Amino acid sequence: MKKIGVFFGGRSAEHEVSVITGMQIIENIDKTKYEVVPIYVSKEGKWLTGSSLLDFKNYKDGKFKDTKEIILSPNYEDNNVYAHPEIVGLFGKKIIDKIDIALPAFHGMNGEDGTVQGIFELMDIPYVGCGVLGSSVGMDKVLMKDVYKANNLPIVDYTWFYRSKWLKDKELVINQVEKKLSYPMFVKPANLGSSIGITKAKDRDGLILAIEIAIKYDRKIIIEKAVENLREINCAVMGFDEEVITSLCEEPIGWEEILTFEDKYVKSNEKGGKVSGERRIIPADIDEEIRVEIEELAKKAFITIDGRGVSRIDFLLDQNNKVFINEINTLPGSIAFYLWEGKNYSFTKLIDELINIAIKVHKEKKDNIYSYEANLLNRTSFGSKIK
């Protein structure tokens, strides 16, 4: 039986969304095939494990009876979980023997952005989802749009700046933004999801307010031309390399101008803790040619950033049925299970397939050569003068 480490929580504004995703994965994973090891990162950044982390109600009252503070070793092929050395001494103590596969369920910074994926790469452990580069590009909306623009994928007009530039000369920033874009605009933190910190600006006063909100969440701000009278259509992609498939398309409903954090999670989760279908139409009511276009663009968006596992790509559809890629979510909430149910993937089957993809990616990585014998050290006189 393979031991699966499910990682969730984290130092992120999307901490609670990650907990929900982690709990849903733990609830739905095939326990006849996998032994689940919950690894929870608190809002303070402490890494914890213990059986009480398997019970969702404990997160509501914050009472965990048996958790142990842990660390992961970055040593190659050391897939053990150790007690924190400050607790048990210099050399630590193994808490869990050899996690076979890591399944991250983080959202936002310090988890979805490639940081944790880098640890898994150093450990040489198979892990579900995008790699370091795909995760980081998918997280940074500016780099993501730069990459898509370079690959001729349709995106809305945008501009960006650093927080330091705003604090130094606000008038200059506003003038530059207004020169590049017309109102209305969307102002967003570049490295955040779940619609946190996003505001629509309809005039200069609104732009100033929106920027002041966004800079509280990130040092990098992106501003996009708003698509008026838009429909949002989302589609998930699963696979590795160019062997990818698409899910059904969805259309979120019951929102105005901005699909807020509350729209995405509070209203859709208030019944039973699972994402409800009541606030989304699946499959989306769109023309066949639009559906085909969106599915093909979703595949290209996924492949372009070297996507792995499952990602959800969010699209904007204007009143003339012109399609724009809004963003890619390399680690979508609830791993977008609701988009796959209509394609005969239960939540359990979806998790199983993602684990299989992780194993396939890891095996292919083993085909690479990681050393080159040149005897360079013995042929180099270090410190001597070269004539």
Side-chain angles (χ1 to χ4, degrees):
M1 183 177 288
K2 291 188 179 298
K3 194 172 290 185
I4 309 293
V6 180
F7 296 76
F8 56 98
R11 291 185 63 246
S12 166
E14 298 174 79
H15 177 96
E16 293 184 358
V17 180
S18 173
V19 170
I20 292 171
T21 296
M23 288 292 97
Q24 288 181 328
I25 291 171
I26 290 170
E27 178 183 348
N28 289 280
I29 197 169
D30 188 346
K31 297 179 180 62
T32 67
K33 297 173 65 174
Y34 308 111
E35 178 185 349
V36 176
V37 178
I39 298 179
Y40 168 65
V41 181
S42 71
K43 290 182 178 180
E44 296 72 34
K46 292 183 178 181
W47 292 54
L48 305 167
T49 193
S51 61
S52 61
L53 295 171
L54 296 170
D55 191 340
F56 182 67
K57 67 178 177 57
N58 291 332
Y59 296 89
K60 296 182 178 182
D61 56 27
K63 296 179 180 178
F64 303 104
K65 296 179 180 179
D66 65 342
T67 55
K68 297 181 178 64
E69 192 172 340
I70 59 168
I71 60 170
L72 298 183
S73 169
N75 291 342
Y76 179 72
E77 290 190 335
D78 183 5
N79 300 344
N80 300 295
V81 175
Y82 295 91
H84 197 286
E86 291 183 3
I87 298 173
V88 297
L90 180 61
F91 298 103
K93 174 184 177 184
K94 271 199 295 188
I95 298 296
I96 299 164
D97 289 330
K98 294 287 182 183
I99 291 176
D100 297 300
I101 299 165
L103 205 169
F106 293 112
H107 297 301
M109 298 299 289
N110 303 306
E112 188 182 348
D113 56 354
T115 50
V116 171
Q117 289 77 4
I119 295 176
F120 299 147
E121 289 282 352
L122 292 174
M123 295 169 66
D124 193 40
I125 183 174
Y127 61 93
V128 170
C130 288
V132 176
L133 181 62
S135 298
S136 58
V137 171
M139 189 77 241
D140 189 312
K141 294 181 179 68
V142 175
L143 292 179
M144 175 191 67
K145 290 182 184 294
D146 286 348
V147 169
Y148 287 161
K149 184 177 181 179
N151 284 273
N152 298 314
L153 293 172
I155 54 173
V156 298
D157 292 335
Y158 65 98
T159 187
W160 67 277
F161 57 88
Y162 290 118
R163 177 168 53 200
S164 58
K165 185 175 182 179
W166 172 256
L167 296 176
K168 183 179 180 180
D169 194 336
K170 297 179 181 179
E171 191 69 21
L172 174 64
V173 171
I174 292 172
N175 289 335
Q176 289 179 341
V177 170
E178 291 181 331
K179 185 176 180 180
K180 292 182 179 180
L181 302 175
S182 59
Y183 293 103
M185 313 170 190
F186 281 110
V187 181
K188 306 176 180 180
N191 290 277
L192 199 61
S194 298
S195 300
I196 296 172
I198 298 177
T199 309
K200 186 175 183 180
K202 299 179 180 179
D203 51 32
R204 175 172 280 212
D205 288 341
L207 177 62
I208 294 171
L209 176 61
I211 293 173
E212 291 291 351
I213 292 172
I215 62 172
K216 296 181 186 299
Y217 293 97
D218 196 6
R219 59 183 281 270
K220 194 174 184 181
I221 306 303
I222 184 169
I223 302 181
E224 303 168 354
K225 178 72 179 76
V227 176
E228 293 288 67
N229 302 312
L230 68 86
R231 295 170 67 186
E232 180 175 332
I233 307 295
N234 304 328
C235 181
V237 178
M238 179 166 56
F240 169 53
D241 280 355
E242 296 189 359
E243 297 180 7
V244 299
I245 60 174
T246 55
S247 71
L248 296 177
C249 293
E250 68 159 335
E251 180 176 7
I253 59 174
W255 56 279
E256 296 180 4
E257 296 190 333
I258 301 174
L259 188 60
T260 66
F261 180 92
E262 181 173 308
D263 290 326
K264 286 184 176 181
Y265 300 109
V266 178
K267 292 178 181 177
S268 62
N269 279 281
E270 58 192 4
K271 294 185 179 181
K274 285 194 175 183
V275 176
S276 168
E278 294 178 6
R279 301 189 63 79
R280 61 183 86 239
I281 299 173
I282 305 175
D285 184 15
I286 51 178
D287 292 340
E288 178 67 10
E289 62 182 42
I290 297 298
R291 180 191 64 78
V292 172
E293 180 182 1
I294 286 175
E295 288 181 357
E296 288 305 308
L297 286 173
K299 291 178 183 178
K300 290 178 183 178
F302 184 79
I303 293 169
T304 296
I305 68 161
D306 192 17
R308 306 171 189 175
V310 66
S311 297
R312 193 191 72 236
I313 297 85
D314 299 345
F315 294 88
L316 304 177
L317 188 63
D318 73 9
Q319 56 191 350
N320 298 314
N321 283 333
K322 185 174 181 180
V323 179
F324 301 92
I325 297 174
N326 185 31
E327 63 179 351
I328 185 169
N329 296 275
T330 58
L331 220 166
S334 307
I335 58 174
F337 78 91
Y338 47 90
L339 292 178
W340 294 99
E341 289 179 316
K343 288 284 184 94
N344 296 318
Y345 281 91
S346 65
F347 205 151
T348 299
K349 182 180 177 181
L350 177 61
I351 295 168
D352 206 37
E353 182 61 21
L354 294 177
I355 290 171
N356 290 335
I357 293 171
I359 293 171
K360 180 180 178 181
V361 171
H362 188 255
K363 284 182 178 178
E364 182 160 307
K365 178 185 171 186
K366 292 291 188 181
D367 292 338
N368 296 341
I369 296 174
Y370 291 94
S371 64
Y372 182 72
E373 299 300 332
N375 200 27
L376 184 61
L377 298 180
N378 290 329
R379 295 165 60 184
T380 302
S381 180
F382 182 77
S384 63
K385 294 183 178 179
I386 300 176
K387 297 181 178 179

